[in-house]
Amino acid sequence: MIHEKPDGQTKSVGIWIRVSTEDQAKGESPEHHEKRARYYAESKGWDVKEVYHLEAVSGKSVKEHPEAQRMLHDVKSGHITGLIFSKLARLARNTKELLEFADFFQERGADLISLQESIDTSTAAGRFFYTMIAAMAQWEREEIADRISASVSIRARLGKPMGGKAPFGYQWIDRKLIPDPKEAPILKLLYELFSEHKRKRTVAKLLNGKGYRTRNGVKFSDTTVRRLLEDPTYKGLHRLNYSKSLGTHKHWIMKPKEEWGYMEVEPILTPALWDTCNAILAEQEKKNKKPTKKAVHIFTGLVFCKCGGKMYVPSNSPKYTCYKCRNKIGKAELEEVFHEQLKEFVFSPDEVAEYLSKADSLIKEKEELLEKLTSEEKQLKERIDSLIKLRLDGEIGKDNFAEQYQPLNERREGMKNEIPELQSEIDFLKIQYLSGDQVLSEARDLHSGWTVLTDEEKRKIIETITERITVDTDEISIRLAYFPTSSELAADGQRNVMGALPFCHFEINAKKPLPKAYPKELITLGDHLRKKRLDLGLLQREVAARFHVDEMTINGWELSHYLPHVGQLPKIIEFLGYVPDDLLHARTTGEKIRRHRMLHGLTRRKLAKQLGIDEATLQRLEEDNPKHFAATARKVSAFLKSLD
């Protein structure tokens, strides 16, 4: 039965066969590789649409081969969405071409399946493994590039010549930049025209109309005019080490200014003319400034609140927020939790050991069987060759030869199917199991290199391995991507070639980090207020609206710069949901009176009026001052009894 994708369409794949003459001499026939790939496709429930034959073709460069071009066209058109090959060296031996193939497939959402290296990008582990390899390879390339460019930066800061192409208007002579007699006048005219017309496109049009061209012989454009206007070389200050390329046929970007260097050269223009033109450019840039690039939130679409709603990052906040229940978590805090959990990406240490032990045992058993079959097939071949030699030498009769040859040949023909089928089972097991070991190792490397990755790279990795992140009041649950179990595979009608454990249907629970402003101790009323506000995920202005005060008032309460008016205390207690400790404990007469007044939001004047005493006397009572009359004492005693 063919396994179908959720949209009802079967995944269509191609098989890549490139076996050199030397490999064929070793017995690795194209047919063997094709059968091995077909059995793997059958295990996955895929439909093999095409087979690309490149027998006896060198792997040094295959991209321009007609079969390679046909394969690339089929991927581009969507005719196939995956390519199976026995190992990476069979796809191409040229590293550059391998990377180009990988980029081509990735851009079009197609999968690469290397049986020998146990990489299948149609699986969660394969995608994660490939993504991490790409990210870590980029990291390593940048590390090497940084070491190489360090000496370049030093030379640049010292103002030493860096070589390279001379700017338009100059030429290199004896390692010095000298104005070019042909180009320098054109350059000077360009500046004069811009100072007059103040339009880059107009300048380009006028220069082209006079028959002038760039050094490459093409017409001037507004982009070229702008680049030449911004170059300080023309006023006698040549920049060094100020830009770098993003790759072949890609843009150049500016390096940080602290890495730049300068070298004095003979100017073509007066500094005044250069400054005038660049002042015009700066003013135009200010008016036409484009909006900044939208920030990349690496967990967007994957973060859910405990209530089930999605959490988003508002434009005015650095936190993922649930608009329904106001649950929040900071972007930095969530990334820190995720980063730490990479160390436990697959399973706990004990589960990893059990997982890999079972994998090793099952794979070893099948590999031993494969080795036995391969050895038996070799022996059969030798016996058949020996029989044929005996027959050719006339040492064995026709009937006797047929009687011995037929069973040997039938057994060998059967093994031609049995061996690649067993090999495909081993391929399947390795991809399901051993890539888990590789991913575990790569995840550890990724954990150490996480901080150097860009947000785009982090987002790509997170999307690949994460199903859902749930943020509760005090806990975060991270649910990772997984492989289907053997029962799920069987239910889908695939061949049950393994008793597979789930690769990574795994949930990590971590404590929700406290906000940086979270009070460590609850000492003041302000500490209680701040804790409650942060627990509810509210902003100070939102709390201020509840108490009908301004935002600065809430900030003052929280920082204990001043105390709330006594009339606000009942509302504050209601907001907290409890009475703070410093109001609960009342031992003396004065403390009991004060607690009652605070809990009910009464001023001294109001309570004094209720008691029928003056305000000064009430203050002395709260301060436990014994100087009061007996009648007052009786009133207070009766009042306290009414509180009990």
Side-chain angles (χ1 to χ4, degrees):
M1 183 184 294
I2 292 176
H3 180 229
E4 294 189 348
K5 297 190 293 184
D7 60 5
Q9 294 181 346
T10 305
K11 183 176 180 66
S12 301
V13 297
I15 295 174
W16 178 270
I17 306 293
R18 191 187 67 77
V19 183
S20 67
T21 306
E22 181 182 351
D23 292 327
Q24 292 185 46
K26 294 178 183 178
E28 296 186 29
S29 67
E31 291 77 15
H32 174 90
H33 286 275
E34 183 177 342
K35 285 179 181 177
R36 178 181 175 185
R38 283 188 180 276
Y39 283 129
Y40 182 80
E42 183 184 340
S43 299
K44 300 288 287 187
W46 295 341
D47 187 11
V48 177
K49 290 286 189 181
E50 300 289 342
V51 179
Y52 306 98
H53 291 276
L54 290 89
E55 288 88 344
V57 174
S58 169
K60 186 176 181 181
S61 180
V62 299
K63 197 172 180 182
E64 300 305 320
H65 190 279
E67 282 291 83
Q69 289 295 308
R70 183 168 73 91
M71 179 271 291
L72 294 173
H73 178 269
D74 287 346
V75 173
K76 190 174 182 179
S77 66
H79 180 57
I80 64 168
T81 57
L83 186 69
I84 306 175
F85 43 91
S86 55
K87 58 183 177 180
L88 286 170
R90 291 284 174 265
L91 181 58
R93 290 188 183 275
N94 183 313
T95 304
K96 181 174 179 291
E97 286 195 350
L98 278 175
L99 293 174
E100 287 175 353
F101 277 135
D103 288 342
F104 182 86
F105 273 70
Q106 190 176 29
E107 287 171 3
R108 287 154 183 82
D111 299 309
L112 288 170
I113 300 94
S114 175
L115 302 179
Q116 186 71 27
E117 285 83 7
S118 304
I119 299 174
D120 180 350
T121 60
S122 71
T123 65
R127 289 192 300 275
F128 178 49
F129 183 49
Y130 175 81
T131 304
M132 285 195 300
I133 287 175
M136 299 310 292
Q138 178 65 24
W139 176 34
E140 289 176 5
R141 284 196 296 271
E142 289 176 358
E143 286 286 301
I144 294 169
D146 286 344
R147 290 195 292 271
I148 292 172
S149 64
S151 61
V152 175
S153 299
I154 293 170
R155 287 180 60 85
R157 285 196 291 270
L158 292 174
K160 293 186 177 181
M162 306 293 296
K165 195 174 181 180
F168 182 81
Y170 283 90
Q171 57 185 329
W172 284 107
I173 298 178
D174 296 330
R175 301 192 68 184
K176 292 183 179 179
L177 279 177
I178 306 296
D180 186 301
K182 293 181 180 178
E183 295 178 350
I186 303 173
L187 192 284
K188 188 174 181 181
L189 176 62
L190 182 148
Y191 272 79
E192 290 171 348
L193 289 172
F194 184 74
S195 66
E196 179 184 352
H197 298 282
K198 300 179 176 59
R199 293 288 182 271
K200 299 185 290 289
R201 193 166 294 176
T202 301
V203 172
K205 185 177 180 181
L206 291 171
L207 289 174
N208 293 329
K210 293 178 180 293
Y212 296 124
R213 296 293 183 266
T214 67
R215 185 176 293 166
N216 295 329
V218 299
K219 291 183 176 182
F220 283 89
S221 66
D222 56 340
T223 305
T224 306
V225 170
R226 175 180 173 174
R227 177 174 55 80
L228 295 174
L229 287 170
E230 292 177 335
D231 193 340
T233 306
Y234 304 119
K235 66 174 181 178
L237 207 58
H238 180 54
R239 286 181 302 188
L240 305 170
N241 193 44
Y242 66 93
S243 64
K244 67 177 180 179
S245 172
L246 295 177
T248 307
H249 305 305
K250 293 185 179 179
H251 296 295
W252 287 70
I253 61 171
M254 303 295 282
K255 292 184 178 181
K257 286 193 174 181
E258 56 268 21
E259 295 183 22
W260 294 10
Y262 292 94
M263 180 178 71
E264 291 187 3
V265 297
E266 182 182 342
I268 294 176
L269 312 169
T270 63
L273 179 57
W274 191 91
D275 291 340
T276 298
C277 291
N278 276 269
I280 295 169
L281 273 180
E283 186 63 28
Q284 292 175 350
E285 191 75 20
K286 189 176 180 181
K287 290 180 180 178
N288 300 324
K289 191 173 182 180
K290 295 180 180 178
T292 56
K293 187 178 180 182
K294 190 177 180 181
V296 175
H297 305 305
I298 60 178
F299 296 102
T300 296
L302 298 170
V303 187
F304 291 80
C305 177
K306 59 183 179 181
C307 71
K310 273 192 176 183
M311 299 178 73
Y312 302 93
V313 180
S315 58
N316 61 346
S317 170
K319 298 179 180 180
Y320 290 91
T321 304
C322 174
Y323 293 144
K324 183 178 179 182
C325 62
R326 309 306 295 174
N327 186 18
K328 297 180 181 181
I329 183 169
K331 295 191 297 180
E333 287 80 5
L334 182 55
E335 182 177 347
E336 183 179 346
V337 170
F338 189 89
H339 179 206
E340 280 304 308
Q341 298 310 316
L342 282 175
K343 291 188 292 189
E344 303 173 20
F345 171 66
V346 185
F347 300 109
S348 69
D350 292 340
E351 288 172 318
V352 169
E354 180 183 351
Y355 178 86
L356 297 179
S357 174
K358 183 171 182 178
D360 289 341
S361 175
L362 185 56
I363 292 170
K364 186 177 180 182
E365 178 186 328
K366 290 188 176 291
E367 285 184 330
E368 287 175 352
L369 178 58
L370 177 63
E371 187 178 350
K372 182 179 178 181
L373 285 175
T374 304
S375 176
E376 183 183 345
E377 195 269 341
K378 184 178 179 182
Q379 291 174 7
L380 281 172
K381 184 177 182 301
E382 290 174 353
R383 289 176 64 186
I384 289 172
D385 290 344
S386 178
L387 273 175
I388 292 173
K389 188 174 185 303
L390 289 173
R391 179 72 183 100
L392 292 174
D393 292 343
E395 296 182 20
I396 185 172
K398 181 179 178 181
D399 293 340
N400 194 7
F401 170 79
E403 184 180 346
Q404 295 186 50
Y405 173 81
Q406 188 171 351
L408 293 176
N409 189 55
E410 287 177 355
R411 173 59 181 150
R412 191 185 175 206
E413 287 298 319
M415 294 178 73
K416 285 183 179 179
N417 290 328
E418 193 174 346
I419 288 175
E421 184 171 1
L422 181 59
Q423 181 67 67
S424 76
E425 291 185 11
I426 294 171
D427 294 333
F428 189 85
L429 287 168
K430 281 185 174 180
I431 288 173
Q432 296 291 79
Y433 279 131
L434 297 189
S435 63
D437 192 18
Q438 292 169 321
V439 167
L440 181 64
S441 174
E442 291 291 337
R444 288 172 182 150
D445 291 339
L446 184 63
H447 175 267
S448 64
W450 183 260
T451 54
V452 303
L453 300 178
T454 65
D455 283 350
E456 287 81 1
E457 290 168 335
K458 291 175 183 177
R459 170 72 185 173
K460 195 172 182 182
I461 292 168
I462 290 165
E463 278 184 325
T464 301
I465 65 175
T466 311
E467 286 185 346
R468 183 186 180 100
I469 298 172
T470 303
V471 180
D472 208 330
T473 306
D474 56 0
E475 189 176 70
I476 297 171
S477 173
I478 303 172
R479 188 174 181 82
L480 299 173
Y482 71 104
F483 276 134
T485 62
S486 57
S487 60
E488 289 173 320
L489 293 174
D492 284 337
Q494 298 191 43
R495 299 183 324 132
N496 188 13
V497 297
M498 58 179 285
L501 290 171
F503 165 73
C504 190
H505 195 170
F506 190 55
E507 195 163 297
I508 301 170
N509 294 305
K511 285 288 183 183
K512 182 178 178 181
L514 296 175
K516 293 180 181 178
Y518 205 87
K520 296 179 180 178
E521 293 183 90
L522 300 179
I523 300 173
T524 67
L525 181 62
D527 293 335
H528 288 275
L529 274 170
R530 182 180 289 272
K531 177 183 180 299
K532 185 64 177 181
R533 178 176 65 80
L534 293 174
D535 285 344
L536 295 175
L538 298 174
L539 299 173
Q540 287 183 340
R541 67 169 179 269
E542 294 171 321
V543 176
R546 294 191 180 195
F547 291 104
H548 304 292
V549 296
D550 59 40
E551 189 175 341
M552 291 305 297
T553 299
I554 299 297
N555 186 60
W557 292 354
E558 290 187 358
L559 296 176
S560 298
H561 288 167
Y562 43 83
L563 293 173
H565 185 272
V566 68
Q568 292 279 14
L569 287 174
K571 291 182 181 178
I572 291 174
I573 292 169
E574 182 183 355
F575 174 70
L576 294 176
Y578 61 88
V579 180
D581 291 344
D582 61 335
L583 292 179
L584 273 176
H585 303 299
R587 295 173 296 279
T588 68
T589 299
E591 287 175 346
K592 289 179 180 179
I593 294 173
R594 180 176 175 274
R595 183 185 66 178
H596 172 81
R597 185 168 63 79
M598 294 292 184
L599 292 179
H600 290 81
L602 299 173
T603 62
R604 283 201 184 100
R605 180 178 295 179
K606 285 185 178 180
L607 183 56
K609 188 175 181 180
Q610 288 181 15
L611 292 171
I613 60 178
D614 62 75
E615 190 176 343
T617 302
L618 179 60
Q619 182 175 351
R620 288 197 298 273
L621 287 171
E622 287 187 0
E623 294 171 353
D624 288 310
N625 190 330
K627 294 179 181 179
H628 50 73
F629 299 103
T632 305
R634 285 195 298 273
K635 287 182 180 180
V636 171
S637 178
F639 175 71
L640 292 176
K641 284 181 181 179
S642 70
L643 299 180
D644 295 336

